[in-house]
Amino acid sequence: MNSLSARTRKYYFLAGLKLFGYVAAVQLLLVVEWIFFGAEEADIVGYVSQNIITFNAMFMVLFNMMFAIYGPNWYDSMVLSMGARRRDVFWGQLIKQCTYVGLSTILSIVLCVVFKHENFMGYTIVAVAAAMILGALGLAIGYKVKKYGKIVIFILLIIVGVQAGIWGFVLAAGIKLPISSLNSYIMLSIIGVGAVVVFTLLELWAYKLNQKCMVN
């Protein structure tokens, strides 16, 4: 059983590595595009590196939640059918998310330090908190999708549509986000404590749903 538990966790760890690799490949393609369209920029290196940091944080939030939503259908049933315990699956999902978010965070921090974008450190930390919270929420949603089907997807699309509308308005209105204000230690401490509490509650919810999930 211990051997199966170790293999299960290794399976999810490799899944996290693959997710990071896929997202990194997408960002490499974007780098080529940014170099092409930013050719007239006075500081092309700073322009491209800042874009990588910004998009890496957004992708970290988006893809961690998206892959968490589909986790119960893509990973869990196959692993459970091989004899793994449900708690192994739960810890495996957490390992997968921590692996992807951790590697993405390291990438952003290295870029912030090397290319002198320290003002994006707070932005990166906030993105990490959001990614972990939405990853836990996505896992819970994934179990609900597996149980209730398309109605959950429909509700999720409405929520995403509303968020997209808000972001579209922000961009259209030319509203600049206060990136540098996120470097406040007080603000980051509050966000950190709040994120830990919300993440813990969501993970407990996801664990309960995991215990009731049927194997396909």
Side-chain angles (χ1 to χ4, degrees), residues 2 11 33 69 75 84 108 136 148 150 158 163 168 173 175 187-188 199 201-202 215-216:
N2 289 334
Y11 172 80
E33 180 180 340
I69 290 175
Y75 303 109
S108 286
Y148 296 106
K150 295 181 180 179
I158 293 177
Q163 291 179 334
I175 300 174
M187 179 177 290
L188 289 177
F199 174 77
L201 293 174
L202 288 173
V215 181
N216 291 335

Side-chain angles (χ1 to χ4, degrees), residues 44-206:
I44 184 64
V45 174
Y47 170 76
V48 172
S49 58
Q50 180 174 306
N51 279 346
I52 296 175
I53 294 170
T54 304
F55 277 78
N56 185 57
M58 291 191 294
F59 286 161
M60 178 166 47
V61 176
L62 174 64
F63 285 105
N64 194 51
M65 181 178 186
M66 185 176 70
F67 275 73
I69 290 175
Y70 288 100
N73 286 293
W74 284 0
Y75 303 109
D76 291 12
S77 293
M78 181 175 65
V79 175
L80 288 170
S81 67
M82 294 188 298
R85 296 169 297 183
R86 292 181 184 274
R87 76 178 178 191
D88 292 331
V89 170
F90 173 78
W91 285 110
Q93 286 283 3
L94 189 57
I95 289 171
K96 176 174 68 68
Q97 293 189 42
C98 289
T99 300
Y100 169 60
V101 173
L103 290 174
S104 297
T105 303
I106 292 172
L107 174 61
S108 286
I109 291 176
V110 169
L111 291 173
C112 284
V113 173
V114 172
F115 295 102
K116 309 300 181 183
H117 295 302
E118 287 84 357
N119 57 317
F120 279 84
M121 283 290 194
Y123 171 78
T124 299
I125 294 173
V126 172
V128 171
M132 294 306 295
I133 289 174
L134 292 179
L137 177 61
L139 188 57
I141 292 174
Y143 287 120
K144 290 293 185 181
V145 170
K146 193 169 185 179
K147 182 176 181 180
Y148 296 106
K150 295 181 180 179
I151 183 62
V152 178
I153 293 292
F154 180 72
I155 295 173
L156 183 62
L157 288 175
I158 293 177
I159 296 174
V160 172
V162 171
Q163 291 179 334
I166 293 173
W167 279 106
F169 171 77
V170 170
L171 294 175
I175 300 174
K176 294 184 178 180
L177 299 177
I179 298 296
S180 59
S181 66
L182 295 177
N183 290 326
S184 167
Y185 288 111
I186 296 177
M187 179 177 290
L188 289 177
S189 298
I190 294 173
I191 291 174
V193 172
V196 170
V197 172
V198 175
F199 174 77
T200 301
L201 293 174
L202 288 173
E203 283 292 331
L204 289 174
W205 183 31

